[in-house]
Structure formats: structure tokens, C-alpha cells
Amino acid sequence: MKRSVLTVLILCILTSFGCQNSDGQNASRKLSKPAAEWKKTLTDNQYHIMVESGTEPPYKNEYWNNHQKGVYVSAATGEVLFSSDDKFDSGTGWPSFVKAVDAKKISIVHDNSFGMSRDEVIEKSTGLHLGHVFDDGPADRGGKRYCMNSGALKFIKK
């Protein structure tokens, strides 16, 4: 009995780290340049979120409660990714959107990290992590909730 419990525990641990490579990067996505190069151009917070697939704390990030009109661009490339017109208050503490401005600028990759099954949103041109997308958004606006990290974005006021 102890042996089977230990075996299951070891398998769970290996599985939870199975999607991470030695840089902490999700192995299912390919970065457009080496992590060391991104380290030179991104802030520590941006690097943690975008390269290491980190998540910032809810309600303690720059844009969760931003109600100004404008666009949200990639912190790495400046590409327009989301619009304030598509932002809504999800009650989660992160900036949430019903859709991307241009679906061709993002990719959705299945993410099984930390024992969860989620869909990760990455910037298509760079392979950098932006957040996750869920099916619990406003039904009258498509039903999606693109839950983004403020640290992966920069806001440009209209």
C-alpha cells in the first residue's frame, strides 16, 4: 500500500513539472528568441510572466481595474492585442477581455501545468505567455474570458 501511494505521489510530481523545461518555459511553445535575450529587454516582472509563464497576484496588478479607453499592447513587441471596448469586470482581479483585437496575433496552447487543465494564451509572433482563456465570459459577448496578466501588457490611452 505504501509503495503504491509513493508511486502515485512521484507520478503526480513528475506530471506537474512535465510541461516546464529548465528555463521554466512551457515546453509546448517555442520562443522567437532565447530566454537570455528576452531577459535583456523585459523587466523582471515581464520576464517572469512572459517567459517563465508566471502569474501576478489578483487585484494587485496595474490594469485589473483600469476603465480608461484605449488599447492594450504586448509589453514585448508593442503589437495591439486587446481593446478597452472588449474589456469587462470579471471579478477575478485580472484584466479580462471577451476577445483579442486580431485573433491572428495570439495562439491558444493547452496547458497542463500545476495539475490544472487550461488553455494558455500566447503572443503568436514571440511565443511569450500572456495569460489564459476560459469559457466563463459574458454569454452575450461570445462566452470567452481572456484573463491576461497586466505585466504582459502596456496600456495606450485613446
Side-chain angles (χ1 to χ4, degrees), residues 56-134:
E56 62 202 359
Y59 304 103
K60 294 182 180 169
N61 57 76
E62 193 169 1
Y63 303 127
W64 77 272
N65 199 26
N66 181 21
H67 299 287
Q68 298 179 70
K69 292 292 182 190
V71 293
Y72 295 82
V73 303
S74 164
T77 65
E79 286 289 323
V80 176
L81 299 175
F82 297 95
S83 169
S84 61
D85 293 338
D86 298 314
K87 190 172 186 284
F88 70 100
D89 183 4
S90 65
T92 62
W94 288 282
S96 297
F97 305 87
V98 295
K99 65 179 181 174
V101 168
D102 181 351
K104 292 180 239 146
K105 291 185 181 180
I106 62 168
S107 290
I108 308 299
V109 179
H110 195 70
D111 173 13
N112 285 317
S113 62
F114 305 109
M116 294 181 272
S117 181
R118 308 178 285 179
D119 289 322
E120 178 183 15
V121 180
I122 62 171
E123 184 177 8
K124 189 178 260 184
S125 66
T126 61
L128 295 170
H129 175 79
L130 301 170
H132 290 88
V133 63
F134 302 96

Side-chain angles (χ1 to χ4, degrees), residues 36-58:
E37 290 297 312
W38 286 116
K39 187 81 166 163
K40 294 175 187 176
T41 60
L42 299 173
T43 67
D44 288 345
N45 186 50
Q46 291 167 342
Y47 182 87
H48 173 65
I49 291 167
M50 299 180 87
V51 177
E52 297 176 329
S53 299
T55 301
E56 62 202 359

Side-chain angles (χ1 to χ4, degrees), residues 19-34:
C19 292
Q20 302 263 329
N21 68 19
S22 60
D23 293 332
Q25 172 189 330
N26 186 316
S28 63
R29 61 186 170 92
K30 179 84 171 123
L31 297 180
S32 62
K33 58 185 179 180

